[in-house]
Amino acid sequence: MTTEKNTLWTKNFILMCIVNLVMFIGFQMLVSTFPFFVMHLGGDEAVAGVASGLFSVSSLMMRPIVGWVLDNKSRKILLFFGLAGLVLLAVLYAAINIIVLILLLRLFHGIFWASTTTSLNTNASDIIPKERFGEGMGYFGLTATISLSVAPLIGLTVMDKMGFNVLFLSSACIVAVALI
């Protein structure tokens, strides 16, 4: 029996799922296309790999710090900070065509990614009723899986038909929807 106390599908939970879906779509559009962008700028496969590695390392190293901030400061502000950073970085990718600067941006991308994903999961876990936690996190996680099934196609199509600048600005706009 579902009572008001353990209702899963609240306005806040639905909004959190939408934010997660939209944010992951904007991000996954770039994951599938970023190596092509690095090679377009004159880098080779090794440089593309370094770009991916820098992102992963900075994201991983940032998570303990993000966890502390989530426990001791405002969770909503950290989410806003992360989403705003993801929007800004997508715009900067469109504006910068120097590989060294792109690699530096990848470090910051990992930081903002860690901030966003960790705070989204924490905020979602805060609003899901404990009696329905597994179910709620399953639905919440499904939004990331759905994005993974459509976003690479969107990203590769936009890259192929309209170029990298439109791709990056499209990603920025999509993540801005999550920010709003």
Side-chain angles (χ1 to χ4, degrees):
M1 180 171 165
T2 302
T3 65
E4 189 173 316
K5 179 184 168 205
N6 64 5
T7 299
L8 177 61
W9 293 101
T10 62
K11 175 186 169 191
N12 286 340
F13 180 70
I14 293 168
L15 286 173
M16 196 65 63
C17 287
I18 292 169
V19 167
N20 201 48
L21 174 70
V22 171
M23 184 269 310
F24 264 97
I25 288 173
F27 173 73
Q28 292 295 342
M29 287 173 59
L30 300 185
V31 169
S32 58
T33 56
F34 208 81
F36 296 111
F37 177 61
V38 170
M39 290 188 275
H40 171 77
L41 295 178
D44 58 13
E45 292 172 358
V47 175
V50 167
S52 294
L54 289 172
F55 171 86
S56 298
V57 167
S58 66
S59 180
L60 181 66
M61 293 183 74
M62 193 65 189
R63 291 196 189 270
I65 297 166
V66 169
W68 182 88
V69 172
L70 287 169
D71 285 342
N72 296 290
K73 305 292 179 188
S74 173
R75 293 176 179 194
K76 289 181 183 177
I77 290 173
L78 187 61
L79 176 58
F80 178 81
F81 167 78
L83 287 169
L86 292 178
V87 171
L88 175 64
L89 283 169
V91 171
L92 288 173
Y93 286 139
I96 295 174
N97 61 2
I98 301 167
I99 289 180
V100 172
L101 293 178
I102 294 298
L103 294 176
L104 181 63
L105 289 179
R106 289 302 280 178
L107 283 170
F108 287 103
H109 201 163
I111 292 168
F112 289 118
W113 180 250
S115 300
T116 304
T117 55
T118 307
S119 61
L120 267 171
N121 282 295
T122 303
N123 281 299
S125 69
D126 286 345
I127 62 173
I128 295 171
K130 299 307 172 212
E131 304 84 13
R132 301 184 70 185
F133 190 76
E135 176 188 9
M137 288 307 288
Y139 285 122
F140 181 76
L142 183 61
T143 61
T145 303
I146 291 169
S147 75
L148 189 54
S149 67
V150 298
L153 174 64
I154 295 168
L156 289 167
T157 301
V158 171
M159 177 192 76
D160 187 47
K161 303 288 185 202
M162 295 177 236
F164 289 107
N165 284 347
V166 174
L167 170 71
F168 294 131
L169 295 176
S170 297
S171 174
C173 289
I174 289 168
V175 177
V177 168
L179 184 60
I180 293 168

